[in-house]
Amino acid sequence: VQLQASGGGLVQAGGSLRLSCAASGLTFGSYAMGWFRQAPGKQRDIVAAMSTSGSTTYYADSVKGRFTISRDNAKNTVYLQMSGLKSEDTAVYYCAAARYGLRTATSYDYWGQGTLVTVSS
């Protein structure tokens, strides 16, 4: 199983980025997908997650109204559209796949390598 995250980079505060995560080696439509992030010296926290069909989503309070998770099961890809970026959004962002569960990191079976998002103020 491979989860390949991309789309990170340097952006000014208030700007936008779109992260993508391409999955292979698994039945993508059978897995909930999530985005997590880890800032230096901090624990890895969930940012957003989406159920297999897309009917259920979860967002951390810190990103509600600014970030949007979506998935394209035909392309085996999950996205995270980030807008209104703040310096505190600076972190390495990871995508992950869960056969069961949605909100907790321990539910996730497979993890991508991470992509760095840096927001300059």
Side-chain angles (χ1 to χ4, degrees):
V1 174
Q2 284 193 330
L3 301 177
Q4 183 70 41
S6 61
L10 175 64
V11 63
Q12 288 189 332
S16 299
L17 277 177
R18 187 196 198 202
L19 305 183
S20 299
C21 174
S24 60
L26 77 171
T27 305
F28 185 75
S30 296
Y31 285 79
M33 297 299 296
W35 286 98
F36 293 75
R37 68 185 180 188
Q38 187 168 20
K42 295 189 177 181
Q43 67 180 20
R44 188 176 299 187
D45 292 323
I46 190 168
V47 174
M50 177 171 274
S51 62
T52 55
S53 66
S55 60
T56 301
T57 56
Y58 171 80
Y59 294 95
D61 288 342
S62 58
V63 306
K64 281 181 182 176
R66 300 189 298 122
F67 291 11
T68 302
I69 188 171
S70 61
R71 65 188 294 162
D72 185 336
N73 286 352
K75 295 183 177 180
N76 288 4
T77 302
V78 62
Y79 306 97
L80 185 68
Q81 179 67 49
M82 306 184 293
S83 60
L85 284 162
K86 306 175 181 179
S87 58
E88 51 262 44
D89 295 318
T90 295
V92 176
Y93 284 71
Y94 299 88
C95 59
R99 187 67 179 89
Y100 302 103
L102 190 68
R103 299 188 180 189
T104 59
T106 53
S107 298
Y108 286 78
D109 305 293
Y110 304 107
W111 293 82
Q113 86 289 358
T115 185
L116 177 63
V117 173
T118 304
V119 183
S120 63
S121 57

